């Protein structure tokens, strides 16, 4: 699998990233089963794993970390992303009155320490601020993020769901470069392609990462959009000897901005063939054929 250099850093991530959000939803969450999924990814060169402190009501990092504790040799074969700043309403935090964002230095540092402990590791390859915090003190947050990189606990920092004005404010208060912005992008969520977000990421050297690249599975539901897309997916899948979900992911990979899809399937039989996506060709006209079907109208 090709690797990709993240932003202005020298970090190399795999071209496909495996997202761990749904890990705790699986029927089997034993170490053996988690390890099986990790191995299926690593065997194909999918070496980058996307976590967040809150996934699975704060349980996913721990489930994954058990596999790393069981076999510490795994850590050097992978890159770990985690995120922080969303404070969820949860039985684990019964004193919370409301869901909120927290980018204070104290919260960010404590969250990273907890993620390191959960994941049985002493560093994260990438820490993302999960959502823009309207109450952010950019000087305080920026300094805390710089310190985390200086300490070696985090190799690089990026953002998620940020608009250009959000990340430029944070970047103006940091010495180290922000290297990524993870936003929702798929055939069902195309805003970033036209609202300036993807352009600004390229201008500012933030690697674009696409969460829910299959719309969380909604691309294969039964809606007007999916009914228009399905016959095109099927034709392309047949022409290229691929599956329809692979065609949908290849649509993102075809873009010149080098978008890294963060794939979320929990199904081992789907995981084991993910790298085939890299062989699918989507030319310009096909890219727009899919866009047009998804939008329900031709471009202006
Ligand atoms: N930064 C953020 O704010 C943010 C937000 C959400 C997610 N994320 C990240 O993005 C990752 C991916 O998100 P996601 O899980 O929503 O991604 P996704 O890949 O768009 O959706 C995965 C879902 O689609 C289903 N699916 C896959 N192929 C299918 C097919 N051929 N037919 C029907 N269903 C199919 C999967 O079911 P099976 O499991 O049965 O295959 C799974 O439920 C997460 O794990 C997380 O790391 C980040």
């Amino acid at each position: 699998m090709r690797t990709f250099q993240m932003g202005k850093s020298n970090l190399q991530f795999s071209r496909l990233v495996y997202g761990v959000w749904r890990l705790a939803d699986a029927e089997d969450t034993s170490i053996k089963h988690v390890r099986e999924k990790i191995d299926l990814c690593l065997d194909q060169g999918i070496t980058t794993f996307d976590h967040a402190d809150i996934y699975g009501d704060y349980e996913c990092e721990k489930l994954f970390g058990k596999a790393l504790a069981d076999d510490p040799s795994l850590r050097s074969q992978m890159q770990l992303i985690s995120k922080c700043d969303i404070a969820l309403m949860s039985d684990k935090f019964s004193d919370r009155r409301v869901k909120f964002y927290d980018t204070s230095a104290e919260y960010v540092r404590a969250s990273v320490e907890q993620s390191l402990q959960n994941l049985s590791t002493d560093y994260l390859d990438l820490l993302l601020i999960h959502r823009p915090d309207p109450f952010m003190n950019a000087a305080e947050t920026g300094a805390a993020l710089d310190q985390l990189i200086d300490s070696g606990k985090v190799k690089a920092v990026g953002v998620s769901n940020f608009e250009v004005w959000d990340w430029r404010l944070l970047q103006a208060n940091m010495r180290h470069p922000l290297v990524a912005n993870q936003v929702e992008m798929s055939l069902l969520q195309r805003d970033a392609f036209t609202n300036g977000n993807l352009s600004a990421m390229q201008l500012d050297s933030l690697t674009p990462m696409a969460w829910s690249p299959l719309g969380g599975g909604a691309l294969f539901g039964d809606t007007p959009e999916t009914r228009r897309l399905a016959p095109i997916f099927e034709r392309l899948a047949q022409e290229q000897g691929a599956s329809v979900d692979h065609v949908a992911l290849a649509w993102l990979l075809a873009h010149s901005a080098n978008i890294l899809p963060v794939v979320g399937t929990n199904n081992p039989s789907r995981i084991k063939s993910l790298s085939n996506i890299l062989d699918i060709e989507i030319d310009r006209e096909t890219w727009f054929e899919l866009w047009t079907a998804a939008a329900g109208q031709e471009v202006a």
Side-chain angles (χ1 to χ4, degrees), residues 19 21-22 50 55 160-161 182 212 214 216 262 264-266 270:
W21 178 30
R22 298 175 192 273
D50 184 74
Y55 286 170
S160 178
N161 303 301
Q182 187 179 119
S212 291
L214 299 174
V262 187
T265 176
N266 236 331
R270 287 198 182 116

Side-chain angles (χ1 to χ4, degrees), residues 34-47:
V34 171
R35 174 66 195 256
E36 185 195 343
K37 290 180 193 170
I38 293 173
D39 286 342
L40 287 172
C41 288
L42 294 180
D43 288 348
Q44 302 170 80
I46 299 172
T47 57

Side-chain angles (χ1 to χ4, degrees), residues 6-9 177-180 199-208:
M6 299 298 289
K8 287 181 180 155
S9 74
L178 295 169
V179 305
S199 304
M201 285 186 236
Q202 292 173 82
L203 282 168
D204 289 357
S205 299
L206 267 68
T207 297

Side-chain angles (χ1 to χ4, degrees), residues 9-272:
S9 74
N10 53 14
L11 285 179
Q12 295 284 334
F13 281 8
S14 51
R15 192 68 183 83
L16 294 175
V17 174
Y18 184 71
V20 188
W21 178 30
R22 298 175 192 273
L23 195 65
D25 301 346
E27 272 172 35
D28 185 352
T29 55
S30 63
I31 297 186
K32 185 169 167 285
H33 196 62
V34 171
R35 174 66 195 256
E36 185 195 343
K37 290 180 193 170
I38 293 173
D39 286 342
L40 287 172
C41 288
L42 294 180
D43 288 348
Q44 302 170 80
I46 299 172
T47 57
T48 306
F49 294 86
D50 184 74
H51 291 265
D53 55 347
I54 57 170
Y55 286 170
D57 192 20
Y58 299 91
E59 291 300 321
C60 287
E61 286 183 334
K62 291 182 200 160
L63 290 174
F64 195 96
K66 280 184 193 164
L68 290 187
D70 194 50
D71 181 358
S73 75
L74 284 173
R75 180 63 184 98
S76 61
Q77 303 173 52
M78 62 174 61
Q79 302 82 42
L80 293 177
I81 303 170
S82 197
K83 314 186 190 78
C84 69
D85 95 327
I86 301 178
L88 277 190
M89 293 295 281
S90 162
D91 292 346
K92 291 166 181 114
F93 297 95
S94 53
D95 53 337
R96 281 183 189 157
R97 298 187 307 280
V98 67
K99 180 181 180 186
F100 60 101
Y101 303 131
D102 196 339
T103 50
S104 65
E106 188 187 1
Y107 187 92
V108 170
R109 274 190 221 115
S111 184
V112 168
E113 289 297 342
Q114 187 64 54
S115 290
L116 295 177
Q117 192 182 321
N118 292 345
L119 288 164
S120 298
T121 184
D122 51 10
Y123 69 96
L124 294 175
D125 293 276
L126 179 62
L127 173 71
L128 303 178
I129 299 295
H130 205 154
R131 293 258 167 198
D133 168 12
F135 199 60
M136 180 172 73
N137 176 331
E140 178 183 337
T141 308
L145 294 172
D146 276 337
Q147 278 165 14
L148 281 166
I149 297 174
D150 293 341
S151 71
K153 291 184 178 180
V154 161
K155 287 196 178 171
V157 168
V159 292
S160 178
N161 303 301
F162 272 45
E163 302 288 346
V164 60
W165 47 85
D166 300 315
W167 79 66
R168 286 202 177 153
L169 174 62
L170 182 57
Q171 184 63 85
N173 286 278
M174 288 182 68
R175 283 179 283 108
H176 294 287
L178 295 169
V179 305
N181 187 22
Q182 187 179 119
V183 298
E184 185 177 9
M185 276 186 275
S186 71
L187 273 158
L188 295 182
Q189 180 44 270
R190 302 174 307 283
D191 291 353
F193 292 94
T194 53
N195 68 8
N197 201 316
L198 190 56
S199 304
M201 285 186 236
Q202 292 173 82
L203 282 168
D204 289 357
S205 299
L206 267 68
T207 297
M209 303 180 73
W211 62 260
S212 291
L214 299 174
L219 259 180
F220 309 106
D222 188 16
T223 63
E225 289 97 325
T226 59
R227 283 195 288 277
R228 290 190 297 268
L229 282 163
I232 310 174
F233 281 153
E234 269 153 35
R235 190 194 83 226
L236 294 169
Q238 220 167 31
E239 280 170 12
Q240 307 219 23
S243 60
V244 290
D245 43 333
H246 288 187
V247 173
L249 291 164
W251 183 82
L252 286 168
L253 288 174
H255 196 280
S256 61
N258 287 313
I259 297 165
L260 301 191
V262 187
V263 296
T265 176
N266 236 331
N267 179 333
S269 67
R270 287 198 182 116
I271 297 173
K272 78 175 173 208

